[in-house]
Amino acid sequence: MFQAVSKPAIIEVAVPCPLRRSFDYLLTGKETHAPQPGQRVLVPFGNRRLVAVIIALKTQSEHQKLKPIIELLDAETPSLSAQQLALGQWAAQYYHHPIGDCLQQMLPVNLRKPGPAEARPSPDDCWQLCADWQSKEAPANRAKQQLALLDAFVQAPQHRLNREQLTELGFKRPLLNELIKRDLVEAVASVGITNTAETPPTLNAEQSHVVDAVTAKLGQFSRFLLEGITGSGKTEVYLRLIHAALQQGKQALVLVPEIGLTPQTLERFERRFPAQVASLHSGMSDNERLKNWLAVRQGDTPILLGTRSAILADLPKLGLIIVDEEHDPSYKQQDGWRYSARDIAVKRAADNHCPVVLGSATPSLDSLFNVERGRYALLQLRQRAGDAKPPAIQLLDIRRQNLHEGLSTPLLENIGQTVAKGQQALIFLNRRGFAPTLQCHGCGWIAQCGNCDARLTVHYRRQTLKCHHCDATAAMPYQCPDCGDDHWLFEGPGTERLEMLLQQQFPNTPVYRIDRDTMNRQGDVENRVEEIRRGGAGIIIGTQMLAKGHHFPNVTLVGIVDMDAGLFSADFRVVERSAQLLVQVAGRAGRAELAGRVLIQTHCPEHPALQTLLKQDYRRFAQQQLAERQRLQQPPASYCAVLRSDAVRLQRAEEFLQQLASALRPHAKGIQMMGPLPAPMTRRAGRFRCSLILQTPNRAKLHQLLSLATQAGDRIKKSSDLRWSIDVDPIELF
DNA sequence: AGCACGCCGACT
DNA sequence: GTCGGCGTGCTC
């Protein structure tokens, strides 16, 4: 017999290395199952063994001496589905990032090392008969499978079976779900979660309209921006949409910002959809992540709720994507493969012919621009639940004012009046620690970080100096190292200092501080928020940790200590970000019977952006900003990428980008090139950083140039300590 | 990214 | 005479 000539004996793989190309290997012919794209494979690479991903099968190779693979790691089912593989390949091109690294990041950590694609069974993978199962309606006689499974539970010791045993007995998850639905069986480890779905509340007219509009588009690609003010019931809309998708037999993917995935959020979803929600977030073990990742892929779980990287998971029946707080910067990965989960969500919706809903109270300018261009349909929720009124915003001009640790007299008086009424005040300051600067009163010496162009922050209680840009920590000195004087000046306010001041001023009022220094462990914030909600008069001090998600019904006064830092910056996105932060912080306050007030301390009350925000009009602010961006041809009115470099010596970093810029310039017609410029805080963690900014209205041209940049960048001779990277659609310019 | 190979300084 | 510094080049 002839050997079939087309039998693929060679595989093309992506290896987890920063190399922008693939490698070919020989199959041994002794594989126990058929190789398929997406499967993991152990290969010899140099003198190492690496877990690579098959991207194609071939019959021949350009390369002469191929090595044979060591073994196929996936039995049958590839770790990455065809759709994921295609997504990874698309993303590698779009973000100009090495394919091997992209595919590696799409795999759960446990699958990045050799071993089978299985999760260890864990205790919460156990189910038992409900105590009152006999009083419940049994499955119909013709539901033979269900009866068999029920019988297996009755026979089992303690009436319990775990996942492993169920698999052994040949029972599949959907069948188990049937028994769970009938209240015959429940998960063992789940404490305090009822297994009956709660009854959804009634929707108001606005909510119904939104639900109808999106539901009508299930099954086709459609993009929505859902602009819903704080407290307008966005989450309820999401739950209804998910329900509609599930009814059509589809799966739903919900993305939330990094710190938005609190136990409360998860519980809210689980109450509505018992045993149907899997989650992926940073607080879980690698094994748990793998377990949920697999559950969603196998279709056992129809809902995936997760943070940024959840957009990379496989949902074979994906029918709806929701991105909550779509403006949140945590959707953009800030190192390595700098992808935007929000943007990939839109791409996946297109691939899956399904709707994507981007929700926010303060939509990003990118999304508003897409509404303007008619790409996204705009849906709005303007009504606050219970008719709560938006808070009144007022500026406090603090020029030449006496400040007490950063607080003006009027703000202090207002805090006093608020707590006297038994209400709560929330003071927002985006600077943790006691004081941002330590200065010697004798000679003017200032404590600087040895590794960064930054001052050290004083942490009073711990008597330490910390750098907030690297991990440098030092003991608070007794004497000035320059002149020996021991009189110190603590300059500027920090949250720790405000806490001490306010506790002193209001000794009978509880003062709560919420920042990275006081909230160490998972769940600390939730516990503290719960305590505040139950409490009466009180003062809450916090950084941007406060701005997201949590609502404080007893807060009637919000004070913004320092607005000015967010108004002026070389980076045009800083103003957008601080406006969003302001609106979000303001949204923490007030309810129907207690209208809230927001007081903003500033040295520049005439600033146009502030004046617009003052009128409660985020949308008008956004329109003004958009007009400005269009005038200056800045994103989203143009496309942008940043090439960055860093090295131990500034000259090395600069030189590299200069050479890269020269190599690109002849091909950069119609593309604005700015730089290379040292970043505003050039030295950080002992390295100097530079940026070269590219901007053009022509996306195709930008990507052509970036392709050239990857080639040129690899060719240019570099000192060994030089690192460089490409950031497509950056959210920070430097 | 790793890891080896390679050519120049201070140690047994 | 070697141990080891990190420059540079490759990985199917």
Side-chain angles (χ1 to χ4, degrees):
Chain A
M1 283 299 290
F2 302 132
Q3 174 102 36
V5 276
S6 63
K7 183 169 182 191
I10 295 171
I11 54 171
E12 183 182 346
V13 306
V15 289
C17 277
L19 300 168
R20 288 182 170 83
R21 55 178 210 269
S22 58
F23 292 85
D24 293 345
Y25 284 87
L26 287 170
L27 289 165
T28 59
K30 290 178 198 150
E31 288 76 26
T32 50
H33 41 267
Q36 293 173 57
Q39 281 173 342
R40 295 172 308 133
V41 58
L42 192 63
V43 295
F45 192 72
N47 57 348
R48 295 179 291 160
R49 316 163 106 223
L50 296 179
V51 175
V53 174
I54 303 181
I55 53 180
L57 309 177
K58 358 160 114 173
T59 50
Q60 48 193 311
S61 171
E62 323 266 272
H63 202 85
Q64 291 310 303
K65 30 191 198 302
L66 301 184
K67 288 184 188 174
I69 66 164
I70 298 166
E71 70 170 310
L72 287 177
L73 294 167
D74 291 337
E76 314 288 336
T77 320
S79 279
L80 294 178
S81 68
Q83 205 192 50
Q84 279 175 299
L85 194 56
L87 183 70
Q89 288 175 301
W90 170 83
Q93 270 197 4
Y94 184 86
Y95 290 103
H96 297 270
H97 191 77
I99 176 78
D101 197 40
C102 296
L103 296 185
Q104 167 106 356
Q105 286 196 58
M106 294 181 81
L107 292 170
V109 175
N110 282 354
L111 297 188
R112 296 178 195 173
K113 41 196 190 248
E118 295 162 3
R120 282 194 318 276
S122 47
D124 62 321
D125 265 341
C126 189
W127 293 268
Q128 66 185 359
L129 280 181
C130 297
D132 56 349
W133 70 279
Q134 278 169 315
S135 65
K136 295 277 155 51
E137 197 185 328
N141 277 336
R142 57 190 168 75
K144 290 274 184 311
Q145 290 260 357
Q146 287 185 42
L147 287 169
L149 178 53
L150 186 62
D151 194 49
F153 272 104
V154 174
Q155 305 283 322
Q158 286 185 299
H159 302 321
R160 281 183 183 185
L161 289 172
N162 65 25
R163 191 190 200 102
E164 212 178 333
Q165 293 167 319
L166 287 168
T167 320
E168 250 168 54
L169 294 166
F171 294 111
K172 297 245 161 65
R173 184 63 199 254
L175 192 64
L176 181 66
N177 286 344
E178 282 303 311
L179 295 190
I180 292 170
K181 242 192 257 169
R182 288 167 188 275
D183 282 347
L184 294 163
V185 168
E186 64 190 349
V188 170
S190 58
V191 263
I193 297 169
T194 53
N195 274 334
T196 35
E198 65 172 12
T199 0
T202 22
L203 299 182
N204 65 31
E206 272 184 338
Q207 288 174 310
S208 304
H209 170 74
V210 171
V211 170
D212 292 346
V214 180
T215 310
K217 296 286 183 151
L218 284 172
Q220 40 182 304
F221 175 46
S222 47
R223 294 164 288 187
F224 297 94
L225 174 63
L226 172 56
E227 183 184 21
I229 59 166
T230 316
S232 61
K234 278 197 301 286
T235 311
E236 184 54 38
V237 167
Y238 298 155
L239 293 169
R240 297 295 185 109
L241 293 175
I242 295 166
H243 180 74
L246 261 51
Q247 288 222 303
Q248 297 195 1
K250 299 284 180 55
Q251 290 179 302
L253 171 56
V254 183
L255 297 183
V256 292
E258 213 112 278
I259 48 173
L261 189 38
T262 60
Q264 275 89 336
T265 317
L266 188 55
E267 267 170 39
R268 180 149 184 207
F269 277 78
E270 277 174 343
R271 271 203 306 277
R272 189 67 65 84
F273 304 104
Q276 298 186 83
V277 187
S279 62
L280 288 176
H281 57 88
S282 53
M284 42 203 327
S285 72
D286 291 343
N287 188 55
E288 272 179 299
R289 291 178 71 96
L290 175 59
K291 194 181 79 187
N292 289 350
W293 190 88
L294 289 171
V296 171
R297 189 178 76 174
Q298 284 151 12
D300 291 345
T301 314
I303 303 166
L304 178 62
L305 178 62
T307 50
R308 180 177 58 236
S309 65
I311 195 60
L312 306 175
D314 187 32
L315 291 90
K317 290 187 284 184
L318 183 59
L320 172 70
I321 307 178
I322 291 165
V323 183
D324 190 28
E325 308 293 350
E326 62 90 23
H327 66 278
D328 196 286
S330 75
Y331 286 125
K332 175 95 173 160
Q333 175 133 13
Q334 285 294 29
D335 51 63
W337 175 22
R338 294 171 166 259
Y339 66 93
S340 157
R342 181 245 276 155
D343 296 349
I344 292 185
V346 177
K347 161 75 174 156
R348 280 198 75 172
D351 292 348
N352 284 277
H353 312 290
C354 78
V356 55
V357 178
L358 308 181
S360 176
T362 51
S364 62
L365 295 188
D366 311 72
S367 296
L368 288 170
F369 188 62
N370 278 320
V371 169
E372 236 173 59
R373 285 194 300 184
R375 288 162 152 252
Y376 295 2
L378 178 66
L379 301 169
Q380 287 175 307
L381 296 174
R382 298 157 173 272
Q383 240 170 286
R384 271 183 128 183
D387 267 334
K389 287 181 198 69
I393 303 181
Q394 202 184 321
L395 297 182
L396 290 179
D397 183 352
I398 53 169
R399 283 174 295 193
R400 295 165 211 276
Q401 291 279 311
N402 256 338
L403 295 180
H404 322 267
E405 321 284 39
L407 300 184
S408 62
T409 310
L411 181 53
L412 269 175
E413 284 170 1
N414 273 283
I415 296 171
Q417 287 159 16
T418 304
V419 296
K421 282 187 277 184
Q423 298 167 359
Q424 296 174 340
L426 188 157
I427 308 303
F428 178 82
L429 175 62
N430 218 355
R431 220 175 290 142
R432 57 198 176 86
F434 184 81
T437 299
L438 177 71
Q439 187 170 35
C440 169
H441 203 17
C443 70
W445 177 87
I446 285 176
Q448 297 264 354
C449 175
N451 308 318
C452 309
D453 291 331
R455 296 173 174 189
L456 294 171
T457 299
V458 181
H459 286 250
Y460 195 83
R461 209 154 301 169
R462 297 183 180 216
Q463 285 290 296
T464 54
L465 300 176
K466 279 190 195 172
C467 176
H468 288 182
H469 306 280
C470 71
D471 50 14
T473 305
M476 170 85 197
Y478 296 107
Q479 295 180 314
C480 172
D482 264 18
C483 72
D485 200 299
D486 59 359
H487 288 84
W488 293 113
L489 294 175
F490 303 104
E491 277 167 33
T495 47
E496 187 188 10
R497 187 175 206 171
L498 285 188
E499 181 189 21
M500 287 167 77
L501 166 80
L502 290 167
Q503 193 62 85
Q504 221 169 42
Q505 296 265 324
F506 306 99
N508 303 316
T509 307
V511 176
Y512 312 92
R513 172 152 67 105
I514 297 183
D515 58 25
R516 195 141 37 96
D517 298 316
T518 51
M519 303 287 115
N520 301 317
R521 285 171 313 154
Q522 193 105 24
D524 277 358
V525 179
E526 282 71 42
N527 294 338
R528 183 46 68 92
V529 167
E530 214 25 67
E531 190 186 339
I532 294 168
R533 282 196 193 178
R534 282 196 308 267
I539 300 167
I540 309 152
I541 299 160
T543 57
Q544 59 181 319
M545 232 179 186
L546 272 186
K548 324 242 170 144
H550 308 291
H551 187 237
F552 300 97
N554 301 328
V555 166
T556 55
L557 175 71
V558 173
I560 313 247
V561 179
D562 180 15
M563 191 64 206
D564 299 349
L567 295 176
F568 305 96
S569 171
D571 189 335
F572 54 82
R573 252 176 263 248
V574 167
V575 181
E576 173 184 352
R577 192 105 19 90
S578 55
Q580 288 162 349
L581 207 54
L582 169 63
V583 175
Q584 299 272 348
V585 173
R588 302 303 109 213
R591 56 179 172 186
E593 64 276 30
L594 292 175
R597 276 191 314 145
V598 180
L599 300 180
I600 303 171
Q601 296 196 144
T602 177
H603 285 95
C604 29
E606 299 88 9
H607 195 288
L610 269 186
Q611 284 297 324
T612 309
L613 287 168
L614 206 59
K615 296 176 195 126
Q616 306 293 329
D617 205 342
Y618 176 77
R619 273 306 282 281
R620 181 118 55 95
F621 162 82
Q623 266 155 17
Q624 285 172 2
Q625 289 286 310
L626 261 183
E628 175 83 353
R629 301 258 189 107
Q630 269 167 300
R631 195 173 63 76
L632 298 170
Q633 283 290 290
Q634 291 170 339
S638 70
Y639 298 97
C640 183
V642 179
L643 304 171
R644 295 192 184 84
S645 69
D646 68 81
V648 178
R649 283 157 58 189
L650 175 61
Q651 196 206 344
R652 294 263 169 90
E654 262 178 330
E655 223 169 62
F656 170 78
L657 282 187
Q658 261 150 19
Q659 286 178 53
L660 193 54
S662 323
L664 296 182
R665 207 158 275 124
H667 309 95
K669 221 173 163 196
I671 296 176
Q672 206 184 341
M673 279 175 67
M674 289 165 284
L677 290 166
M681 190 178 57
T682 306
R683 197 163 70 111
R684 191 153 160 179
R687 302 180 65 87
F688 288 90
R689 310 168 308 136
C690 290
S691 299
L692 174 66
I693 300 164
L694 308 175
Q695 231 168 250
T696 168
N698 187 333
R699 178 179 244 163
K701 260 191 183 161
L702 178 65
H703 280 264
Q704 274 169 27
L705 194 69
L706 290 174
S707 294
L708 281 176
T710 57
Q711 294 163 34
D714 287 342
R715 261 202 314 272
I716 293 172
K717 272 208 189 168
K718 297 176 276 286
S719 60
S720 60
D721 66 312
L722 188 123
R723 295 193 301 230
W724 73 285
S725 64
I726 295 182
D727 190 349
V728 179
D729 306 329
I731 61 165
E732 276 166 17
L733 287 186
F734 297 97

